[in-house]
Amino acid sequence: MENTVKKRLAVAPMMEWTDRHCRSFHRTLTKDAVLYSEMVTTGALMHGDVPRHLDYSQDQHPVVLQLGGSEPNDLARSAELAQQWGYDEVDLNCGCPSERVQRGAFGACLMAEPSLVADCVKAMRNAVDIPISVKHRLGLDSMDAASSEKDYQFALDFILAVADAGASQVTIHARNAVLKGLSPKENRSKPPLRYEVAAKLRLDAQKQFPNLKVLLNGGLETNEQIAGHWDDFDGFMIGRAAYHFPAMLLGWDDLINTHGDAAGYLFSETEWHRIQIALVKQVQNWFDECRAKEKPFYIGAFTRHVLGLAHGRAGSRYWRQRLSDHHALAKVQSKAAIADFFLDASLTLGDWAAFELETDN
């Protein structure tokens, strides 16, 4: 029965990184993976520019809006906006350890208030028809769920509370959040990873909520690593590795459809050409959108997400330099110039990287 259910592979929500352009690029690499937005605070949606935060191109589905907040009514209204804008799911951030986020009373510090988080989930669940999920940590500060029964129960009680409130999925970042004394960057590496604890939490949570999906997040860097934990979780969320080495996403559809058996991928000349042509078309569509809305166009907002694609190939350093040259980027102000820019950049990798673009305009 286990192998009949397809598991979820997802690119994690990452501030300043998983914006609409990044998600469109990632969608050229994988059809089946789930893409998450950057975290958007309820305050930004209640008092800010909603289209700026929520607008995206329709090629991105399935796409999840991650929210940051701790006020049930505001989260409910924000979830309603997410549904109106066509997002497939809403995820509540209970894992970010940033002190700036803590001052806003959301993120990882919410793990200490499971009843409040449950109220937040319930409010969103009652407001919308789309699924509600929660991303969280294994514990807080010096807790040790691996050796302390009390600390393990803390994590399990949190998961049970949000599941009981209506969350259909939790994503466990399998290390603690240290709320004082570590930077967000240090929080991604210093607290030890405890995959075995996360796996046990899944089993124990599903005894009471058999339909709850439990995803693993934290420290996963290769498709082989993901495949190695395939049977222990309902899916996997990958952050920085997926962003810095996006070619790994080329193997995700096969990984999903073979139930974890196919961990490799072939990054061929044909695949390179397909991706470059897709990028040209995406950026040209965005150029048209900017012109229609009388907004400034800057191709660098898109190319900054693509820099890791040629990782390991001869000439990749020159390719990255070309895609990061602000003077050259600023000059790209027509659809023809967009195509020429990507073609010229590709040629720094060698003749094999040249692609032909069929133009209909």
Side-chain angles (χ1 to χ4, degrees), residues 68-305:
S70 58
E71 210 292 316
N73 289 336
D74 287 351
L75 282 163
R77 291 204 296 276
S78 297
E80 286 174 343
L81 285 170
Q83 182 164 282
Q84 289 166 19
W85 281 80
Y87 285 85
D88 298 293
E89 184 179 305
V90 170
D91 186 72
L92 179 62
N93 184 327
C94 294
C96 180
S98 159
E99 291 196 21
R100 182 165 59 90
V101 166
Q102 290 176 55
R103 286 196 294 274
F106 55 91
C109 61
L110 283 177
M111 284 196 71
E113 300 184 68
S115 59
L116 172 59
V117 177
D119 288 342
C120 292
V121 170
K122 204 172 294 179
M124 291 189 286
R125 177 71 273 137
N126 291 337
V128 297
D129 300 320
I130 55 178
I132 306 298
S133 57
V134 176
K135 185 173 186 289
H136 61 95
R137 293 278 183 137
L138 207 55
L140 298 174
D141 297 319
S142 60
M143 288 181 178
D144 187 355
S147 59
S148 164
E149 193 174 323
K150 178 185 172 189
D151 292 345
Y152 178 84
Q153 195 64 42
F154 171 87
L156 181 59
D157 286 346
F158 179 85
I159 295 171
L160 295 176
V162 300
D164 190 48
S168 57
Q169 174 189 291
V170 295
T171 299
I172 305 174
H173 185 149
R175 53 164 57 98
N176 284 5
V178 178
L179 299 179
K180 300 288 181 188
L182 289 185
S183 68
K185 182 179 180 181
E186 290 170 325
N187 259 291
R188 291 193 297 269
S189 58
K190 288 200 171 180
L193 287 160
R194 295 280 189 256
Y195 293 157
E196 73 288 355
V197 177
K200 186 173 186 299
L201 284 167
R202 172 182 175 250
L203 292 176
D204 286 342
Q206 289 177 346
K207 288 173 186 172
Q208 295 189 46
F209 296 96
N211 295 322
L212 179 71
K213 299 288 185 274
V214 180
L215 272 60
L216 177 66
N217 170 241
L220 297 166
E221 296 182 349
T222 67
N223 291 345
E224 289 77 13
Q225 242 186 314
I226 296 168
H229 297 283
W230 195 259
D231 293 335
D232 294 332
F233 298 93
D234 303 296
F236 303 86
M237 180 180 281
I238 319 300
R240 275 148 185 81
Y243 188 86
H244 290 306
F245 311 108
M248 73 183 292
L249 275 64
L250 291 168
W252 282 15
D253 293 353
D254 281 345
L255 202 53
I256 292 168
N257 292 315
T258 63
H259 308 293
D261 286 342
Y265 57 88
L266 177 65
F267 196 177
S268 65
E269 180 178 350
T270 303
E271 197 77 303
W272 178 268
H273 293 176
R274 179 190 68 79
I275 294 165
Q276 295 306 302
I277 291 166
L279 288 173
V280 169
K281 291 179 177 175
Q282 285 173 355
V283 179
Q284 287 179 337
N285 288 339
W286 183 50
F287 176 84
D288 286 341
E289 185 181 323
C290 289
R291 285 291 181 266
K293 295 179 178 178
E294 298 183 341
K295 291 186 174 181
F297 169 83
Y298 179 59
I299 193 174
F302 206 108
T303 59
R304 73 187 187 95
H305 300 301

